[in-house]
Amino acid sequence: MSNRKWVTQPDVYVCPLTKEAQELAMFELRENDQTRDSALESMRDWIKQNPRIKNCRLDARFLLRFLRFKKFSVEQAKEALERYILLRQCFGVAFNCLDITIPMMEELTNLGYMFACPKRDSQGRRVIVARPGVFDLNKFTNGDMCRIHGIVYETLMEDEENQVRGFVHFADGSGVGFAYLTLFTIREAVRIVKNGEKTLPMRHKEVHGFNIHPSMKFALDWGMTLISDKIKSRVRLYSNINEVLDAGHVEKHILPKEYGGTMPMSEMIAAEKKREQFRL
């Protein structure tokens, strides 16, 4: 076991978080210098001794994804890491060759299928905009959909500020109809929904959806049965963008100009493409 070579080696951690984020991490996640150092050491020792893990990153920024996701419950973080590794093996298309310069990925990005707004909201969270209606079923595959999600999520999870503060999801259902249900089998859809909550080490703080076609209501209702009550309580659905803005839960100035903000979507996408130009 000791002869294995790891993707990254253990590093000496220097916390890059702002003072405010560190205080939030302590309050919400029970994170401080002592708990962090002890947990990282425990995680690394367990990984090295675990015969089921053939290779893994050992750097602190990666392992902290899981510790923060599970509020520094080391045992739960270990389970989450194992599930994540299994997910990467089973859904390789979503994690292999995460390169924004692949023509299909660049086209989906330019269309605004999914991107994060550059500015953080008043709670320091990144807002992820999803516009599935721009996904051309005759041109793109479900593999393309998985990969673009992988690029966006893996990029955002690398930022420790995001690991602590979590994410707000803003989804426009315009153009999504019954035909989209053919992208995945029921079994695949169940795994995707459940993994989105339980396996990807992301703190989902709010979900806002609007412009949902009536033909998709039963699929949405079914999907809601697969998520926990905690996440259900964070989901808000609206008829249109005006209802979203009037409710006041999403800060208008953070959003693209096309949804009431100030910065055009094209400029936001250009800024995010610079962040995402790497391979994992």
Side-chain angles (χ1 to χ4, degrees), residues 216-226 232 237:
M216 299 298 292
K217 187 179 184 303
F218 81 94
L220 182 63
D221 291 342
W222 173 73
M224 292 288 282
T225 67
L226 302 176
K232 283 181 188 175
L237 302 177

Side-chain angles (χ1 to χ4, degrees), residues 17-25 122-124 161 164-165:
L17 297 173
T18 62
K19 183 179 179 180
E20 181 186 0
Q22 290 184 54
E23 291 174 351
L24 180 65
S122 59
Q123 297 184 53
E161 196 86 6
V164 171
R165 296 185 182 275

Side-chain angles (χ1 to χ4, degrees), residues 170 208-210 238 240-250 255:
F170 177 87
H208 302 273
F210 61 101
Y238 313 82
N240 51 57
I241 183 60
N242 291 328
E243 281 192 11
V244 179
L245 299 178
D246 290 343
H249 298 296
V250 182
L255 299 173

Side-chain angles (χ1 to χ4, degrees), residues 49-67:
Q49 295 170 17
N50 190 336
R52 294 186 298 274
I53 298 179
K54 305 302 181 184
N55 208 341
C56 185
R57 286 173 59 177
L58 296 179
D59 58 287
R61 183 168 57 178
F62 175 74
L63 297 179
L64 284 170
R65 291 184 187 184
F66 304 93
L67 289 165

Side-chain angles (χ1 to χ4, degrees), residues 104-129:
M104 288 297 195
M105 298 302 98
E106 187 162 20
E107 184 171 352
L108 278 172
T109 301
N110 290 340
L111 287 170
Y113 171 80
M114 176 175 283
F115 60 94
C117 298
K119 293 182 179 179
R120 297 180 182 275
D121 68 9
S122 59
Q123 297 184 53
R125 305 171 303 190
R126 296 295 298 277
V127 177
I128 302 174
V129 177

Side-chain angles (χ1 to χ4, degrees), residues 33-45 63-64 67 72-74 78:
D33 291 342
Q34 183 177 358
T35 58
R36 186 193 306 117
D37 292 344
S38 174
L40 284 171
E41 182 179 4
S42 179
M43 289 285 287
R44 286 165 174 155
D45 289 344
L63 297 179
L64 284 170
L67 289 165
F72 277 79
S73 169
V74 175
K78 292 175 183 177

